Amino acid sequence: MLDKVETEDLKDLMADMGRRARAAGQVLGLAPTEQKNAALREMAKAVRASATDILTGNARDIEAMKANGQTAAFLDRGTLDISRIEAIAQALEAIVELPDPVGGVLAAWDRPNGLKIERVRTPLGIIGVIYESRPNVTADAGALCLKAGNAVILRGGSDTINSNRALHAALRQGLKAAGLPEDAIQVVPVTDRAAVGEMLQGLNGNLDVIVPRGGKSLVARVQADARVPVFAHLEGLVHIYVDKAADVEKAAAIVVNSKLRRTGICGALETLLVNREVAQSHLPAILKALQDAGCEVRGDATVQAIGEGIVAATEEDWRTEYLDKILAVKVVADQAEAMAHIAEYGSGHTDCILTEDAKAAALFLATVDSAIVLHNASTQFADGGEFGMGAEIGIATGRMHARGPVGVEQLTSFKYQVRGEGQTRS
Amino acid sequence: MLDKVETEDLKDLMADMGRRARAAGQVLGLAPTEQKNAALREMAKAVRASATDILTGNARDIEAMKANGQTAAFLDRGTLDISRIEAIAQALEAIVELPDPVGGVLAAWDRPNGLKIERVRTPLGIIGVIYESRPNVTADAGALCLKAGNAVILRGGSDTINSNRALHAALRQGLKAAGLPEDAIQVVPVTDRAAVGEMLQGLNGNLDVIVPRGGKSLVARVQADARVPVFAHLEGLVHIYVDKAADVEKAAAIVVNSKLRRTGICGALETLLVNREVAQSHLPAILKALQDAGCEVRGDATVQAIGEGIVAATEEDWRTEYLDKILAVKVVADQAEAMAHIAEYGSGHTDCILTEDAKAAALFLATVDSAIVLHNASTQFADGGEFGMGAEIGIATGRMHARGPVGVEQLTSFKYQVRGEGQTRS
């Protein structure tokens, strides 16, 4: 329970966590599904039984956060109560229901010489999760990694260190009760920021991927400095393009839902692009629906001429992920201009076309280089749960390994299993 | 045709190559299969038509290599003649026959709300290939990347720069003839080593993955310094474990083939582990077969007692990828010791069990954490062509994205295409 340690001690501590994670991962990678599920159930039980300890730890964190003058929103994210603890336990139980990806056969084929080749899912290895002050991530991320057979090293925000420690104690109880190594889920026990630096360096090969969960500055730092692969998105600068063949009623409903259902999530709409041919016919209804729902609209000159009370959009607006009740709106000459705008300003997260023209939709879905491309549906569906993938550890915009929602399947690798009957190569 | 440029000029040159690759990649990613195949056929045609230019360039390279006192093996790898040029052209044509991975649907499912979700293959982006003095890699790697819709930046060994330039001119002709951007395949035009450094830094986000092709020191440098993902293997320290239930005749044949068919490839056997229970019964035949074929054997005390003319193996032998007619042989107490030895000394490339016991085989294939695990077959099958994957750009031992042979499918990413009919999220 150290809050500050010497540099060399910290290096040793982190290196040791990496080694213990690798050893635990080797056991975990071979653990049968039922044993992992038993651990998840035992973890849920232990979380419920430890509610008092968890709330006590959380109370200490809240006190410190208040003393540090944190915002109300920050405090809310960091606060636990009995119903949030129950939600954490239920989330653990929900992961029991997900299919175990490990051992799944991704492809199988026979060769003319009789060799039987299978591409089989394996755990990815050791996952590092660096997150800000949401204690539930401790349980959610730990459980998701466990289900995929991975060991995990969790480094939560220092503001919730006591909550995380108490939750972690419950997770360890669950692992122990199911006969799995307690080191399968480790929490960095110090708040020293240098621990993050050690993780970014890869713990001497004992960290295979890092998942940052938090604000843009955290993700940017991890992406810039990590020497190991990162599953993340920097931001969700999400576009909808209203094509000339868009249905106006669908468009208004989808735009309002995409922007306003929840403004703070990465799949929330940030920029609306409207084909000039339907600006007069479609924009009034869309703008009215947005403004009636309390959304500020910032538009180019054409949008300002069509609507009322529209703030003039600047170059900066096309680059801004508001995460708020504000929408930037631009009229474009055609679909090509819309796609060029998305290529220049988009973040490769989620983009959408609204059209009744199947060809225009197909061109958009093929061309726009984003993890998720939608046709005639709300961008708020950009979510592992909505995709039917179960819980997700985040959404990735990189092109390597995992792209889009990162669920239990994306936390796996694979190997080739080749079975012969004595074949030699000529 | 610069051989040495100022640092700032080099930075600009490489950054510009990256930008041009991204622009070319955007066109290439949408190019229909037939257009890419037409380019490959035109490239083959142009290579044949440019044979004189290519041989002239190669003659200059050979002269310089001789002046630099390169070894005969090095010279052989770098030398082209008319039959090797024809082989390069035929390899280009062979890639026409591979299925186009781009646009392939990896998974498709419907959600209860009617959303139709597809995971669709896309190009990976921009591939950087850093290789030593084998001019054929210029064409092979360029073509494989092209087929998967990727732009490629090739940095060949300075010893074959003139051969590579002449080959590259032919590839560009083929691209142009098919109406594809010539920047789809670029060759770094300078021999300055700092160009590699720029590639390792990622060309400002315009390089998505690096594939090193060459000796261990090249791969080690790329793995240590690259700020972008790397598809590679450092070495193939390949093991065969002869289980107590192994068939002796199969064992002798597979061991000899695995070691000696070609000793210089990464799938060649380097260490043989033999279960103590069958050391007396199986080892004499295996050792005789190896020695009759001219293989030096280095063994532990038990092996030395069983065979004749066995050199004593040292700790260093268990760590050595000989790539030569030498084999290290160790007797182990049981399968667990064999798997522990592989976990400690192996390189995660290819490992094999010989046994008639299905349970022992299943345990080995599940437990050993290597890209390729084999049962009762020669380790020399560790090859994309032998797997039926067509040409490969290399074999990767990392756990991220591509593992095992890296063929045209492994050079792709994916996106989610989601089709709705007006759905909003509640």
Side-chain angles (χ1 to χ4, degrees), chain A residues 364-376:
Chain A
F364 186 93
L365 296 191
T367 307
V368 173
D369 184 22
S370 297
I372 300 170
V373 281
L374 295 139
H375 172 212
N376 285 354

Side-chain angles (χ1 to χ4, degrees), chain A residues 22 30 109 111 113 115 117 119 122-125 208-209 224-227 229 231 250 253-254 257 261 265 365-378 380-381 383 385-389 399-405 409-410 413-426, chain B residues 22 30 109 111 113 115 117 119 122-125 208-209 224-227 229 231 250 253-254 257 261 265 365-378 380-381 383 385-389 399-405 409-410 413-426:
Chain A
R22 186 66 77 198
L30 297 170
W109 64 98
R111 296 291 301 151
N113 59 8
L115 287 183
I117 302 183
R119 192 189 292 142
T122 64
L124 199 46
D208 295 302
V209 64
D225 295 342
R227 300 306 306 260
F231 292 162
K250 274 185 203 167
I254 290 175
N257 185 263
R261 176 186 157 272
I265 65 173
L365 296 191
T367 307
V368 173
D369 184 22
S370 297
I372 300 170
V373 281
L374 295 139
H375 172 212
N376 285 354
S378 171
Q380 300 244 348
F381 287 116
D383 173 276
E386 291 298 317
F387 274 39
M389 291 160 63
R399 288 189 186 82
M400 302 294 294
H401 196 89
R403 196 182 196 200
E409 280 191 2
Q410 286 69 35
S413 181
F414 59 84
K415 65 165 78 160
Y416 291 93
Q417 296 189 346
V418 182
R419 291 177 177 84
E421 295 159 323
Q423 284 90 339
T424 55
R425 187 170 169 190
S426 54
Chain B
R22 186 66 77 199
L30 297 170
W109 64 99
R111 296 292 301 152
N113 60 9
L115 287 183
I117 302 183
R119 193 188 292 142
T122 65
L124 198 45
D208 295 302
V209 64
D225 295 342
R227 301 304 307 261
F231 292 163
K250 275 185 203 166
I254 289 174
N257 185 263
R261 176 186 156 274
I265 67 172
L365 296 191
T367 307
V368 172
D369 185 22
S370 297
I372 300 170
V373 281
L374 295 137
H375 171 213
N376 285 355
S378 170
Q380 300 243 350
F381 288 117
D383 172 277
E386 291 298 317
F387 274 39
M389 292 160 62
R399 288 189 185 83
M400 303 293 294
H401 196 90
R403 196 181 195 201
E409 279 190 2
Q410 286 69 34
S413 181
F414 59 83
K415 64 164 81 160
Y416 292 93
Q417 297 188 346
V418 183
R419 292 177 176 82
E421 296 160 323
Q423 284 90 339
T424 55
R425 187 170 169 190
S426 55

Side-chain angles (χ1 to χ4, degrees), chain B residues 2-21:
Chain B
L2 308 162
D3 285 336
K4 187 77 190 169
V5 291
E6 295 300 320
T7 305
E8 279 311 305
D9 291 346
L10 182 76
K11 269 191 188 300
D12 289 347
L13 169 78
M14 297 303 297
D16 185 53
M17 288 184 77
R19 278 190 297 270
R20 286 190 284 135

Side-chain angles (χ1 to χ4, degrees), chain B residues 150-236:
Chain B
N150 299 299
V152 63
I153 295 175
L154 301 164
R155 202 285 183 182
S158 54
D159 291 295
T160 49
I161 183 88
N162 296 298
S163 315
N164 292 340
R165 282 168 179 164
L167 268 166
H168 180 227
L171 303 183
R172 286 178 70 99
Q173 280 178 41
L175 290 164
K176 194 176 175 185
L180 286 175
E182 294 177 62
D183 285 337
I185 302 176
Q186 297 180 75
V187 167
V188 177
V190 298
T191 56
D192 194 318
R193 277 185 168 238
V196 173
E198 292 296 319
M199 289 175 73
L200 297 182
Q201 290 300 311
L203 305 181
N204 310 309
N206 286 324
L207 198 59
D208 295 302
V209 64
I210 293 179
V211 181
R213 290 280 304 262
K216 198 170 157 181
S217 65
L218 169 71
V219 177
R221 183 193 165 191
V222 169
Q223 287 184 329
D225 295 342
R227 301 304 307 261
V228 289
V230 175
F231 292 163
H233 67 273
L234 193 59
E235 56 183 3

